[in-house]
Amino acid sequence: MNSRLYHGIVLAVCAIVVTAAFVCDVDKLGIYFFGWKWPMKCFLHNVFGVKCALCGMSRSFVSMAKGDLTRAFEHHIIGPLVFGFAAMQIPYRLWAIVKCPKKTLAATKIMAGTGIFLLAAIFFRWFYCLLERFLWKH
């Protein structure tokens, strides 16, 4: 894949996610997009009563965008870090597109490594929560 295209796709996804966090609102019942309740719910949680690895991430992002760090951590303990990572992608990907994608290879590897670390942390937390729920609480 063309590296400018790759950087452009990552930029677009992160810009949409971060922008959505700023235009949404959150309360105990869910997320609201310009006053309309967001209809999507976690399938795993609704059907099996088990939270998925990303449960609370959207609410965490919206809380971060509103400046409520405490609530953001309450919704998802890794959410604020992932939000910061997504927000950092915007200036970085713009820089990578303008500069020259081949000259940004080292920085791109660092970003990819950070993303992999955050993804591993999300799944480690999820597995811990599952173990806690099914093994240690019964």
Side-chain angles (χ1 to χ4, degrees):
M1 178 189 295
N2 178 336
S3 50
R4 277 198 168 93
L5 177 61
Y6 167 74
H7 288 298
I9 290 169
V10 174
L11 170 64
V13 169
C14 289
I16 289 168
V17 168
V18 170
T19 301
F22 278 95
V23 299
C24 289
D25 290 310
V26 66
D27 66 13
K28 292 179 182 180
L29 300 175
I31 296 175
Y32 298 87
F33 182 69
F34 291 111
W36 295 346
K37 186 160 176 34
W38 187 253
M40 295 176 63
K41 297 280 185 179
C42 178
F43 176 79
L44 193 63
H45 191 289
N46 286 344
V47 174
F48 299 108
V50 177
K51 291 184 177 183
C52 76
L54 299 176
C55 272
M57 189 68 73
S58 298
R59 289 173 286 156
S60 180
F61 273 39
V62 174
S63 295
M64 279 297 294
K66 303 297 180 200
D68 193 346
L69 186 63
T70 303
R71 290 290 280 219
F73 277 113
E74 287 173 2
H75 291 302
H76 196 290
I77 193 73
I78 303 169
L81 299 174
V82 177
F83 180 83
F85 180 73
M88 285 178 10
Q89 296 301 306
I90 297 168
Y92 168 68
R93 299 299 171 168
L94 285 169
W95 172 76
I97 291 168
V98 171
K99 179 148 172 100
C100 178
K102 291 181 182 177
K103 293 181 180 178
T104 62
L105 187 59
T108 300
K109 286 182 180 181
I110 292 170
M111 285 291 189
T114 304
I116 291 168
F117 173 79
L118 288 172
L119 189 60
I122 289 167
F123 281 101
F124 177 78
R125 175 199 168 264
W126 184 49
F127 290 129
Y128 177 81
C129 289
L130 289 176
L131 286 173
E132 183 178 58
R133 178 176 177 170
F134 292 113
L135 296 180
W136 299 327
K137 294 281 178 163
H138 286 128

